[in-house]
Amino acid sequence: MTVTTERTFLIVGAGLAGTTAAEALRTGGFDGRIVLLGDEKTHPYDRPPLSKDYLQDKSERDKIFLHPDAWYSEQGIELLLETRVTAIDRDAHEVSTAGGERIGYDKLLLATGSSPRRLSLPGADLAGVLYLRRLEDCEAMKAAFEAADRVAIVGAGWIGLETAAAARAAGCAVTVVDVAELPLVKVLGTQLGEIYAALHRRHGVELRLGAKIAEITGKDGAATGLRLADGRLVEADAVVVAVGITPNTQLAEAAGLAIDNGVLVDEHLVTSDPDVFAAGDVANAHYPWLGTHLRLEHWSAALNQGPVAAANMLGQSAAYDEVPYFFSDQYDMGMEYSGYVAPGHDDEVVFRGEVETGEYVAFWLGDGRVLAGMNVNIWDVTGSIAALVRSGAVVDRARLLDPAVDLDDLYAGTTEGPQS
Ligand SMILES: Cc1cc2nc3c(=O)[nH]c(=O)nc-3n(C[C@H](O)[C@H](O)[C@H](O)COP(=O)(O)OP(=O)(O)OC[C@H]3O[C@@H](n4cnc5c(N)ncnc54)[C@H](O)[C@@H]3O)c2cc1C
């Protein structure tokens, strides 16, 4: 009988957080078994291009993959694709897969990401109703936009607006419907919501805002558009539903881990079980700097939380405490947002630079401090904006709004921490 003392670190979810964790385990010196389990068909890839360059046929398929296929075996990472984990037995330190396998672990990372929220309206199951999360969704959407004359999009959030831009680029007439009065208003507020509404109108998108959907209409099993609650019809050959996502917490919940808007973890990304970690979209992590838990559905959180979880699986004491960051590209408007504004916070938005020129930085202020900054078509400033936000400094408004003043000169020497 062979007795193996090799340790096994298991990662469920072969997305960005799972893959960066696997990589960091190896670069961090772990020489045991790393098993990366994912239920998708393809090797791990990046999702942002699925609503941008790749959806618009501006980049090659090869470019979206996180590593070349051979990299996983070269690193001694056992990548098991099309393998769905169905249960975690925390007492036995084992997971079960849909194929009936049981795999033991010493440490386990949950990086199961999230899934699009589904509409539960009449017509929601018709052919031609499209969601966007996976590579195959993107490829189906690309084909649908090529074939369609008219596209209806439900939801004026990031994914809805980026797909609207892609459908316009494919030559489709596009209508975006949202119950909110402005695009992105919950995330960015009224002023930026108006800027995004104007951007899309300028590019020929029809926005039906403050509008509720009663039904996805169909004929012969295929979607033909939307019927709004006020009876109006939006005719379409394809309907995109982009109404947010929900974290994939089912496994963690069934295993009895603490759940609250995602898998609850501390700043070390440890769950309520010291041998189980969570990272990426699924993790609701404690941010010491902010003094609160946040579940961020951002690429940068998945990218950077994976390695922090890996360090802690290796017995270190690393904390994830970054200033939240995300980006979006729509038409000729590229932006990066750094910071955090609590929902319902009575904030004020000010602009450094002229909005009309398309190059400016919007700042969200609270009590004279910068809570967040969004640079639009101005690059290489996110480090300075993040540092300014983190400094918690009360800033001189005239200097903040003067593009001639270096952002780094606005907070020197002040490190009071963020808004309460
Ligand atoms: C179209 C699109 C565009 C985006 N654009 C941006 C952007 O511009 N900027 C930005 O900041 N963020 C963007 N995001 C968000 C960003 O991509 C996510 O935050 C990031 O992918 C999260 O990574 P993750 O590893 O946590 O989860 P995921 O990428 O969702 O990976 C989780 C993986 O786990 C698998 N899985 C789940 N359950 C199981 C199970 N039981 N067994 C096995 N495998 C399982 C899933 O199938 C998936 O492959 C975008 C997302 C999408 C979908």
Side-chain angles (χ1 to χ4, degrees), residues 42 106 123 135 151 165 218 244 262-263 347 358 364 407:
T42 44
D106 292 282
L135 181 53
V151 173
V263 180
D347 53 279
W364 282 255
L407 289 172

Side-chain angles (χ1 to χ4, degrees), residues 240-256:
V240 173
V241 178
V243 292
I245 55 178
T246 48
N248 294 327
T249 54
Q250 302 85 342
L251 272 182
E253 206 167 342

Side-chain angles (χ1 to χ4, degrees), residues 172-253:
C172 304
V174 178
T175 306
V176 176
V177 182
D178 199 300
V179 73
E181 295 296 335
L182 283 171
L184 298 168
V185 68
K186 267 199 221 152
V187 206
L188 300 180
T190 307
Q191 283 157 284
L192 268 299
E194 278 165 356
I195 289 174
Y196 273 100
L199 173 76
H200 280 270
R201 289 194 173 113
R202 210 161 51 239
H203 284 84
V205 172
E206 188 180 347
L207 297 175
R208 299 268 183 101
L209 299 168
K212 247 185 120 173
I213 294 155
E215 182 191 359
I216 299 179
T217 56
K219 193 173 170 219
D220 302 330
T224 56
L226 306 171
R227 188 167 58 77
L228 306 185
D230 63 8
R232 283 182 300 165
L233 290 176
V234 176
E235 291 183 355
D237 312 302
V239 173
V240 173
V241 178
V243 292
I245 55 178
T246 48
N248 294 327
T249 54
Q250 302 85 342
L251 272 182
E253 206 167 342

Side-chain angles (χ1 to χ4, degrees), residues 13 16-17 39-40 47 52 85 133-134 281 298-299 327:
L16 184 60
D39 61 357
E40 297 195 57
R47 293 184 203 276
K52 305 179 186 66
V85 173
R133 183 75 198 175
R134 293 182 164 196
D281 276 16
H298 300 164
W299 176 87
F327 58 93

Side-chain angles (χ1 to χ4, degrees), residues 3-248:
V3 177
T4 171
T5 53
E6 188 182 43
R7 291 204 301 161
T8 300
F9 285 180
L10 207 73
I11 301 171
V12 184
L16 184 60
T19 305
T20 54
E23 182 171 8
L25 286 173
R26 276 290 176 253
T27 53
F30 182 65
D31 60 3
R33 219 182 143 200
I34 301 173
V35 186
L36 178 58
L37 292 149
D39 61 357
E40 297 195 57
K41 288 194 192 83
T42 44
H43 281 67
Y45 56 88
D46 236 351
R47 293 184 203 276
L50 306 188
S51 54
K52 305 179 186 66
D53 284 14
Y54 187 58
L55 182 59
Q56 294 197 21
D57 248 340
K58 287 187 190 160
S59 68
E60 302 288 316
R61 195 175 193 268
D62 287 358
K63 295 261 165 36
I64 67 170
F65 293 98
L66 299 177
H67 294 289
D69 292 2
W71 179 87
Y72 298 88
S73 53
E74 284 162 13
Q75 296 296 316
I77 294 167
E78 295 171 46
L79 173 62
L80 304 183
L81 298 173
E82 295 186 81
T83 306
R84 180 155 193 82
V85 173
T86 50
I88 304 166
D89 181 339
R90 292 201 284 130
D91 292 333
H93 275 59
E94 281 180 351
V95 302
S96 311
T97 70
E101 216 185 331
R102 288 178 77 89
I103 310 173
Y105 66 81
D106 292 282
K107 302 277 180 201
L108 174 67
L109 172 63
L110 296 175
T112 48
S114 50
S115 301
R117 205 171 283 141
R118 303 263 150 185
L119 277 188
S120 55
L121 286 174
D125 296 329
L126 289 164
V129 177
L130 306 165
Y131 291 83
L132 181 55
R133 183 75 198 175
R134 293 182 164 196
L135 181 53
E136 63 262 30
D137 300 333
C138 169
E139 288 171 345
M141 192 172 280
K142 208 191 286 201
F145 289 174
E146 270 162 29
D149 292 325
R150 297 156 308 175
V151 173
I153 297 176
V154 183
W158 297 114
I159 300 289
L161 295 181
E162 289 184 357
T163 52
R168 287 297 297 136
C172 304
V174 178
T175 306
V176 176
V177 182
D178 199 300
V179 73
E181 295 296 335
L182 283 171
L184 298 168
V185 68
K186 267 199 221 152
V187 206
L188 300 180
T190 307
Q191 283 157 284
L192 268 299
E194 278 165 356
I195 289 174
Y196 273 100
L199 173 76
H200 280 270
R201 289 194 173 113
R202 210 161 51 239
H203 284 84
V205 172
E206 188 180 347
L207 297 175
R208 299 268 183 101
L209 299 168
K212 247 185 120 173
I213 294 155
E215 182 191 359
I216 299 179
T217 56
K219 193 173 170 219
D220 302 330
T224 56
L226 306 171
R227 188 167 58 77
L228 306 185
D230 63 8
R232 283 182 300 165
L233 290 176
V234 176
E235 291 183 355
D237 312 302
V239 173
V240 173
V241 178
V243 292
I245 55 178
T246 48
N248 294 327

